[in-house]
Structure formats: structure tokens, C-alpha cells
């Protein structure tokens, strides 16, 4: 029994060391692709076998690091007060959720980019994307008269894609204090618009 407890403590300690090392490496390196599993293992002081047993592969490590950084926001969304918490009116909560996503990706640009671009499959099938989409869709469904909450959730999330955030913050050098109100204005227009305005139907 003591050996099992010691082994479990070692596993927890190794996991924390790996996440801390990966966090540092992704922050310091210019490109997410520059960070390898071997780099993370060496920085954490563990063997590559330990790394792969704990996280499976590079994508698994990225997801674990992403989830660890996201935990405070998730807690605020699930049980916190307005404007992110569940008691917030939907018209106020949707912009707050999008603002939280944007700020998270601005604070974690390299990690978000690596996670969304490095999975080898559609980013829209990723667990983290499906989680955001399901949450937004559920809140949008509470807004009377809003058509097609599923599509609207996709459109709003497209404005916070990691590659777009990287382009705006990096190449175009748009500062956070300008990007946040721009996104808020866009969300407000989407929620206030008539989905059929400007369109005609033919029999």
C-alpha cells in the first residue's frame, strides 16, 4: 500500500513538472512547432516514456496544458457570478463568453495555435471546440427570436479562432484594448440582426 501511494504521488509530481515545463517552453519559443516531446521531457527531468504514458502523444499534452490554463475560466462559467456565470442574462452572457475566449487566446497565443493547428484533423471536431460550441449554442437558444443558434455559435467562434487572433495580434499588431470592443460590437450586431433581412426567397 505505501508503495502504491508513493507511486501515485510520483505520477502526480511528474505530471505537474511536465505541465510546468511545457508551459514555459510554449511561452518562450517563437513557434509552437519548435517544441518537441523530447524538449518537454528534458525540461521536466523525466524520461520520454513517462511523458508518453501520462499524455499519450503531443496532442494529449497540449490538451492537458490547455485544460489546466482554462480551469479558472471554466469555474467562473459553471458556478461564478455574472457576467460569465449561469445566472447572467443571455444577451449579456454571450458577449462575455466571447470576450473570455478572446482574452484566453491572446494570453495563450502559441498554445492555442498549436492545439488548433496540430491535431491532424478538423479543429471543429476537437473536444475543446465542441465544448465552447455547445455552451454558446445553449445560451443562444435562450434568446427569443434568434434563429439557428447552432450556426450562430459557429460564426461567433470563428471570430476567435487562434489563427485569426495570431494574425490580428501579431502581423497587424492590433492591441487587446482595441480588439476586445471590436469583437463586442460584432457580437452585438449578430445578436441584434434580422437573419432574413436583405434576403428574398423564391418559390
Amino acid at each position: 500500500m505505501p508503495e502504491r501511494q508513493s507511486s501515485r504521488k510520483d505520477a502526480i509530481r511528474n505530471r505537474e513538472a511536465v505541465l510546468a515545463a511545457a508551459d514555459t517552453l510554449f511561452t518562450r519559443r517563437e513557434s509552437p512547432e519548435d517544441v518537441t516531446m523530447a524538449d518537454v521531457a528534458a525540461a521536466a527531468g523525466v524520461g520520454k516514456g513517462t511523458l508518453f504514458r501520462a499524455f499519450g502523444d503531443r496532442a494529449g499534452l497540449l490538451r492537458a496544458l490547455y485544460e489546466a490554463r482554462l480551469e479558472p475560466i471554466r469555474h467562473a462559467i459553471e458556478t461564478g457570478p455574472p457576467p460569465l456565470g449561469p445566472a447572467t442574462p443571455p444577451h449579456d452572457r454571450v458577449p462575455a463568453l466571447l470576450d473570455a475566449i478572446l482574452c484566453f487566446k491572446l494570453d495563450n497565443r502559441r498554445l492555442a495555435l498549436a492545439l488548433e493547428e496540430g491535431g491532424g484533423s478538423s479543429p471543429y471536431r476537437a473536444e475543446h471546440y465542441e465544448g465552447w460550441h455547445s455552451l454558446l449554442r445553449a445560451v443562444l437558444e435562450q434568446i427569443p427570436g434568434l434563429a439557428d443558434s447552432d450556426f450562430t455559435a459557429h460564426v461567433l467562434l470563428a471570430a476567435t479562432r487562434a489563427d485569426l487572433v495570431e494574425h490580428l495580434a501579431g502581423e497587424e499588431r492590433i492591441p487587446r484594448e482595441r480588439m476586445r470592443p471590436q469583437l463586442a460590437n460584432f457580437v452585438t450586431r449578430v445578436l441584434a440582426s434580422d437573419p432574413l433581412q436583405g434576403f428574398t426567397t423564391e418559390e
Side-chain angles (χ1 to χ4, degrees):
M1 192 67 167
E3 290 184 2
R4 183 177 300 176
Q5 290 178 343
S6 177
S7 177
R8 186 178 298 115
K9 288 180 180 179
D10 287 344
I12 294 173
R13 189 161 49 245
N14 286 340
R15 182 181 179 86
E16 291 175 349
V18 167
L19 290 176
D23 193 28
T24 299
L25 287 172
F26 276 107
T27 300
R28 291 179 177 175
R29 297 288 175 87
E30 185 65 27
S31 169
E33 298 305 318
D34 292 340
V35 180
T36 67
M37 292 290 272
D39 293 333
V40 175
V46 302
K48 286 180 66 176
T50 299
L51 194 62
F52 282 101
R53 282 193 298 274
F55 300 98
D57 54 16
R58 188 173 184 274
L61 173 60
L62 290 174
R63 286 193 297 270
L65 183 55
Y66 182 94
E67 291 299 325
R69 290 187 181 181
L70 190 64
E71 183 57 34
I73 297 176
R74 178 176 286 109
H75 180 73
I77 290 171
E78 292 176 353
T79 61
L84 290 178
T88 312
H91 264 104
D92 298 327
R93 197 180 188 200
V94 171
L97 289 171
L98 270 297
D99 183 67
I101 296 172
L102 174 64
C103 289
F104 179 81
K105 292 191 177 182
L106 285 169
D107 291 335
N108 300 276
R109 282 165 54 187
R110 293 181 178 87
L111 174 61
L113 197 61
L115 187 64
E116 293 185 18
E117 292 188 343
S121 60
S122 170
Y124 303 105
R125 296 296 182 189
E127 182 178 350
H128 65 90
Y129 181 86
E130 292 181 347
W132 282 122
H133 180 264
S134 296
L135 173 62
L136 269 179
R137 182 183 62 211
V139 179
L140 289 167
E141 287 172 350
Q142 301 172 27
I143 299 178
L146 183 69
D148 203 345
S149 58
D150 186 87
F151 177 75
T152 303
H154 281 302
V155 170
L156 293 175
L157 284 173
T160 65
R161 276 182 55 99
D163 54 356
L164 177 60
V165 171
E166 180 64 25
H167 173 74
L168 295 176
E171 295 185 29
E172 301 213 359
R173 300 186 181 279
I174 298 178
R176 174 191 300 249
E177 57 269 20
R178 181 177 159 203
M179 206 181 303
R180 291 179 67 189
Q182 287 176 331
L183 177 62
N185 289 336
F186 170 70
V187 175
T188 299
R189 290 197 302 270
V190 170
L191 297 184
S193 65
D194 180 351
L196 297 181
Q197 186 176 2
F199 289 86
T200 60
T201 59
E202 297 181 2
E203 296 293 336

